[in-house]
Amino acid sequence: MADWTRRRFIQAGTLAGGALLLPGVMQAAWAAGSDKPEQETVRIGFIPLTDCAPVVIAALKGFDKKHGISIVPTKEASWAAVRDKLVAGELDAAHILYGLLYGLELGIAGKTQPMANLMTLNHNGQAITLSNDLLEKGVRDVDGLKKHIDGQAPGTYSFAHTFPTGTHAMWLYYWLASAGINPFDDVRTVVVPPPQMVMNMRIGNMVGFCVGEPWNARAINDRIGFTAATSQSIWPEHPEKILGTRRDWVEKNPHTARALISAVMEAQRWIDASPDNKRETAKILSRRAWLNTKEQYLTGRMLGEYDNGIGQRWQDAHPIRFFDEGAVSYPWHSDGMWFLTQFRRWGLLKTDPDYQGIAGRINQTAIWKDAASAVGGITVPTTTMRSSTLMDGTVWNGTDPQGYARRFAIHRTGA
């Protein structure tokens, strides 16, 4: 496939496949009852992280009511809690780790459940933090970490991520392995819920962690760590959190699913519309009901203004994005397939899965297109694959996933 850019989108109104309802017509159809959401209230779980913003804003700014539903965000303590409540039906949908949703589909995330990815909530915006103890030993980046670890017994140092099949685990593993550090043999990895990362580093339970914001910025403020890498430096414009649900819920509630996507899309567009909207979003999220943290920990990195805590400041070319002309939210099949390649790479899957088949049944591109047409002004891809170049020069475009999983010097495929 040729490289994708958002300029290769076509307007939603030109989609093939029949007449698409314009926003006013769609609302009239709802009023007539033909497309009325099956559920009026939709419970959505979230973890207190900056990238839960589209769900929160959709509820607080009334974008949900515009599309005939009422979103009830529910704060959860851990990704395991999100998983359990989603599978049990206590939540209708969730702000969830991309890899956690795929892990549930495959039965490698502690439970097994057919899942659906309605949309991507954000690109970029995570980071890897290393402790100031490592800094005092001369470690400032992954190459310095490799040199230091080579002089220690295997497993001397522990690193934390947030869920075994989650995005943070995959960014951490990829980053470590890029310098020749085997994340399974050379170091220990542990699972820690995002809000507990800083506390656990403070008491010495690990020397590094990968998590979403604001916890990396908080580590700098508390003077216990520094940002060694952003996730966008590993994969520019990578998918991060998604709006996930059970596949049976989508089958029973297709109009509700469409309305939910539409409402969250509108929230994404509002957040990214201006720096002032991003600042307001940071102020809202800082409140007790949401992240319960200081606004200053959120605002800078939401605006792409980075300070790594050890003297480097920059305006990031790939800051956290929620909208980007609608390009962020599209559930690319190739994005889901990438996580499958990493599950295979690290031995979480013992055999090669049906990469395209799995992505095709999880990522709900048809409903997304329907929702995009309801919102209006959203551009729509003509393909389900996109091309990306990662930190080591590796190109991922959805082709030859079996070969891609085995191409790395460090892997656990058994091949």
Side-chain angles (χ1 to χ4, degrees):
M1 288 286 182
D3 285 356
W4 168 85
T5 71
R6 66 173 179 263
R7 293 178 180 83
R8 292 184 188 177
F9 280 111
I10 60 172
Q11 291 299 323
T14 65
L15 274 175
L20 296 174
L21 294 176
L22 297 174
V25 178
M26 180 69 78
Q27 290 170 0
W30 292 345
S34 61
D35 278 338
K36 182 180 179 181
E38 299 84 0
Q39 287 185 204
E40 292 184 0
T41 301
V42 183
R43 292 177 56 84
I44 303 181
F46 75 93
I47 293 291
L49 293 162
T50 301
D51 49 32
C52 74
V55 171
V56 174
I57 294 300
L60 296 187
K61 293 290 183 180
F63 295 118
D64 54 348
K65 306 300 189 299
K66 178 179 177 181
H67 291 278
I69 59 173
S70 178
I71 291 174
V72 179
T74 71
K75 185 191 289 189
E76 306 299 337
S78 67
W79 291 118
V82 169
R83 173 199 63 194
D84 293 348
K85 291 185 178 182
L86 191 58
V87 169
E90 295 177 43
L91 297 172
D92 297 309
H95 153 254
I96 193 170
L97 297 162
Y98 212 129
L100 171 50
L101 186 103
Y102 267 65
L104 278 169
E105 176 80 18
L106 297 166
I108 57 173
K111 293 180 182 291
T112 304
Q113 179 75 33
M115 302 302 291
N117 172 17
L118 299 177
M119 65 191 299
T120 301
L121 293 176
N122 68 292
H123 285 176
N124 312 320
Q126 321 299 294
I128 294 171
T129 291
L130 296 182
S131 70
N132 284 347
D133 289 341
L134 284 178
L135 181 64
E136 292 173 1
K137 294 178 172 66
V139 176
R140 298 174 67 91
D141 54 27
V142 71
D143 292 327
L145 181 64
K146 166 65 174 171
K147 292 177 183 177
H148 184 68
I149 285 177
D150 282 348
Q152 312 296 319
T156 298
Y157 290 117
S158 295
F159 292 79
H161 55 71
T162 61
F163 196 84
T165 63
T167 52
H168 302 118
M170 299 305 112
W171 311 144
L172 179 64
Y173 297 169
Y174 203 103
W175 184 73
L176 290 170
S178 72
I181 301 169
N182 190 311
F184 289 86
D185 297 338
D186 298 335
V187 299
R188 293 179 62 248
T189 58
V190 295
V191 174
V192 176
Q196 298 176 26
M197 285 290 189
V198 173
M199 177 192 68
N200 274 275
M201 179 172 277
R202 180 181 289 112
I203 64 178
N205 284 345
M206 69 274 200
V207 297
F209 60 71
C210 184
V211 72
E213 299 299 344
W215 308 112
N216 301 286
R218 176 68 182 272
I220 293 172
N221 183 82
D222 289 5
R223 304 188 182 203
I224 65 167
F226 65 97
T227 296
T230 63
S231 56
Q232 54 265 32
S233 70
I234 298 169
W235 177 358
E237 302 306 321
H238 69 78
E240 183 49 43
K241 304 304 186 299
I242 56 178
L243 187 60
T245 185
R246 302 176 307 281
R247 206 143 63 241
D248 63 352
W249 186 86
V250 177
E251 292 166 356
K252 293 175 184 176
N253 303 282
H255 300 321
T256 309
R258 181 215 58 232
L260 177 57
I261 297 168
S262 297
V264 175
M265 272 187 191
E266 298 226 41
Q268 290 175 308
R269 179 159 57 190
W270 183 88
I271 294 167
D272 272 6
S274 71
D276 284 345
N277 285 6
K278 291 179 180 178
R279 291 187 183 95
E280 182 179 346
T281 300
K283 184 175 182 179
I284 290 169
L285 291 179
S286 70
R287 296 171 186 163
R288 186 178 185 86
W290 312 116
L291 273 62
N292 191 26
T293 191
K294 292 182 180 179
E295 185 179 338
Q296 69 193 61
Y297 300 156
L298 299 167
T299 306
R301 293 192 174 190
M302 179 164 273
L303 292 169
E305 299 167 355
Y306 276 78
D307 178 344
N308 71 350
I310 53 174
Q312 183 182 0
R313 295 184 179 183
W314 71 97
Q315 183 69 41
D316 205 291
H318 301 279
I320 189 168
R321 296 191 208 278
F322 297 101
F323 189 65
D324 195 19
E325 300 181 27
V328 169
S329 67
Y330 185 68
W332 298 99
H333 290 187
S334 55
D335 285 356
M337 290 168 63
W338 185 87
F339 286 97
L340 295 176
T341 69
Q342 298 308 291
F343 295 167
R344 183 70 185 103
R345 175 187 181 183
W346 298 118
L348 301 174
L349 294 174
K350 302 306 179 186
T351 60
D352 284 299
D354 177 4
Y355 292 95
Q356 290 187 329
I358 292 169
R361 68 176 181 253
I362 295 178
N363 289 19
Q364 303 292 303
T365 53
I367 294 178
W368 182 93
K369 290 176 181 179
D370 193 14
S373 72
V375 170
I378 304 292
T379 49
V380 179
T382 58
T383 176
T384 59
M385 302 291 181
R386 64 170 177 149
S387 182
S388 305
T389 302
L390 281 75
M391 63 181 294
D392 52 6
T394 301
V395 175
W396 169 246
N397 56 18
T399 61
D400 189 21
Q402 295 92 338
Y404 184 86
R406 293 170 173 78
R407 66 164 295 167
F408 301 96
I410 298 177
H411 63 81
R412 293 163 60 90
T413 64

